Amino acid sequence: MSCVSCATLTPGLLDLEDARRRLLAAAYPPVARERCPRDAALGRILAAPIRARLAMPGADNSAMDGYALRVAELAAPHDGLPVIQRIPAGCAPAPLGEGGCARIFTGAPIPAGADCVVPQERCRIDDRGRVHVQGEALPGANIRRRGEEFLEGAPLLPAGQRLDAPGLALLASQGIVEVEVFTRLRVALVSTGDELVEPGAPLAPGQLYNSNRVMLDALLRQQDCTVVDLGIVADTAAALREALCQARDSADVVICTGGVSAGEEDHVRPVLAELGEPIFHGVAMKPGKPFAFGRLHGADGDVPLLGLPGNPVAALVTWQVLGQAFVQACQGRHPRPLQRFSVKAGFSRRATHGRRELLRVVLDHAELEPMARLAGGQGSAMLGAACQADGYLMVPGDTPVMEGDDYAFLPIAQFAI
């Protein structure tokens, strides 16, 4: 699958927003589609828009339990209205006779002739069973009109919509049992580093357990991707070259972690230049500066490569603010802009030179306004704070954090969709 447009290598560090724009401009939705049973479609991406088969509601119906009547008959002298019909939900009522009212329940069809539903709590029933209305009754009150949500043929769900529980319920309400979806995006996952060991194996001096693979596998599955796990790759150009060729030939997108800096053991960029084309490297953010993006040339077209830093928190942050939106666009989705709002800092901190810093914070709601407090250590390998954080306090480069000042806050909850 070709997901990447033509671009040129960008010198220096990109601004975060610019890097995100470039990624999204380079992403194209998949072409392959398949039919999927509705009950197996949770998390799938609609490949074609769906229109309503039925009006919703399908008929005028009552918005609450009460009595259906003619408003004009309340204005004429009367000694209460007799109940001449009982209408539960799911039945087909007879027309409402003159001079009477109908006991009606929520969702039940409005009988012909009635133009108002009075809630039962505003009605008094006398000893003869006649209904006396307390307060004003207006034509159309408490009636849900046919098609007021949508009529037959109206847009129901757009192409690119990820199907969640309400979306599946909406399909079911229309009697739809099968939908057309894009095939699942295949993402190859490559972990680089001689120091990495899979959890469960013994650790030698200087080795680390491979937490990035576990984290990214979970994040990709949350996005309903099919993960092709190529394991840990040795820190040699030859080993990486072989792994990236395998990844290119088996997936729609390649994600690798580690090896994207400029050290002697960082082989991603030179191998990418051999096998394809680097597009940009380096984003002015902390953590996450070494993030890289390029494409691998293949016999069936180019395959995009996202190079995430090796430190776990840096890998997490760059995935959330950059990689996830790109993958969603390649799935056929419409990624949302980064959501942010202003919060006050509950701490002070020195400025970071030249890079926007994303600090892991928790929101303290003890006061009237939420206050952002550091979730823990801010090192790019410290997962503890990432586990506790409610979001990121985004601090511009060369700007110190001053307690009580306002800063942009990015809630982490936005990345769970």
Side-chain angles (χ1 to χ4, degrees):
M1 180 186 71
S2 178
C3 273
V4 184
S5 65
C6 294
T8 57
L9 185 65
T10 303
L13 298 181
L14 286 178
D15 176 73
L16 169 60
E17 299 291 353
D18 190 18
R20 189 176 167 92
R21 280 193 295 270
R22 292 188 182 208
L23 282 169
L24 293 179
Y28 293 95
V31 175
R33 306 174 177 203
E34 61 187 7
R35 302 295 297 180
C36 179
R38 184 202 62 234
D39 291 344
L42 180 64
R44 302 301 298 271
I45 314 303
L46 284 176
I50 295 178
R51 292 187 174 273
R53 297 177 178 179
L54 308 171
M56 293 293 285
D60 292 357
N61 68 73
S62 179
M64 57 184 58
D65 294 348
Y67 295 87
L69 46 78
R70 293 180 179 84
V71 171
E73 291 184 345
L74 295 178
H78 65 88
D79 189 21
L81 298 176
V83 178
I84 58 176
Q85 191 176 173
R86 185 177 184 275
I87 311 173
C91 78
L96 183 66
E98 293 185 6
C101 64
R103 178 68 166 123
I104 196 166
F105 298 90
T106 303
I110 302 296
D115 61 5
C116 174
V117 173
V118 180
Q120 60 187 23
E121 56 268 24
R122 287 183 45 215
C123 295
R124 178 178 63 84
I125 312 300
D126 65 22
D127 294 340
R128 298 166 300 160
R130 289 177 173 261
V131 176
H132 300 263
V133 173
Q134 300 171 334
E136 187 178 21
L138 298 174
N142 304 309
I143 295 177
R144 297 185 290 214
R145 295 298 183 187
R146 180 187 186 279
E148 71 176 32
E149 185 177 7
F150 38 73
L151 292 167
E152 298 93 335
L156 198 67
L157 293 172
Q161 175 93 17
R162 187 187 193 201
L163 289 171
D164 56 10
L168 294 176
L170 185 57
L171 295 176
S173 74
Q174 291 284 307
I176 295 172
V177 297
E178 189 179 64
V179 289
E180 186 177 20
V181 298
F182 289 118
T183 57
R184 284 191 172 94
L185 194 74
R186 293 176 61 84
V187 181
L189 197 52
V190 178
S191 305
T192 70
D194 290 337
E195 77 280 12
L196 297 179
V197 176
E198 289 299 338
L203 279 179
Q207 290 185 321
L208 301 169
Y209 285 125
N210 185 10
S211 58
N212 278 343
R213 181 193 64 78
V214 175
M215 176 176 68
L216 288 167
D217 179 84
L219 290 167
L220 288 164
R221 292 183 190 280
Q222 278 183 350
Q223 297 300 311
D224 202 44
C225 296
T226 296
V227 179
V228 181
D229 184 4
L230 297 181
I232 298 170
V233 178
D235 276 330
T236 68
L240 182 61
R241 188 181 301 112
E242 180 181 353
L244 291 186
C245 286
Q246 184 181 353
R248 174 201 63 199
D249 296 340
S250 60
D252 305 307
V253 176
V254 178
I255 295 179
C256 65
T257 59
V260 290
S261 294
E264 294 178 4
E265 299 299 319
D266 295 313
H267 301 292
V268 171
R269 286 194 294 160
V271 171
L272 175 59
E274 289 180 38
L275 300 178
E277 178 184 3
I279 295 176
F280 69 79
H281 172 255
V283 181
M285 59 184 288
K286 181 181 179 181
K289 173 184 172 183
F291 180 87
F293 176 58
R295 58 186 176 189
L296 299 164
H297 298 326
D300 297 326
D302 293 344
V303 176
L305 180 143
L306 305 178
L308 275 55
N311 280 318
V313 177
L316 173 64
V317 173
T318 51
W319 161 259
Q320 288 174 328
V321 300
L322 293 171
Q324 178 175 299
F326 178 80
V327 164
Q328 288 179 346
C330 285
Q331 289 177 305
R333 297 177 64 181
H334 307 292
R336 299 177 181 178
L338 287 174
Q339 300 170 21
R340 66 192 79 189
F341 56 88
S342 181
V343 300
K344 294 188 182 299
F347 60 93
S348 296
R349 186 178 172 88
R350 289 183 299 177
T352 297
H353 177 65
R355 286 189 284 160
R356 191 183 308 197
E357 189 167 20
L358 280 75
L359 298 170
R360 279 70 72 202
V361 297
V362 294
L363 293 184
D364 183 349
H365 294 276
E367 303 297 332
L368 220 73
E369 290 184 87
M371 183 78 71
R373 304 193 186 279
L374 291 174
Q378 297 296 305
S380 59
M382 296 180 174
L383 282 170
C387 291
Q388 301 300 319
D390 294 318
Y392 302 117
L393 200 69
M394 185 180 284
V395 184
D398 302 311
T399 303
V401 178
M402 304 298 293
E403 186 171 358
D405 283 358
D406 291 310
Y407 300 88
F409 172 79
L410 278 65
I412 279 179
Q414 68 182 294
F415 304 118
I417 56 177

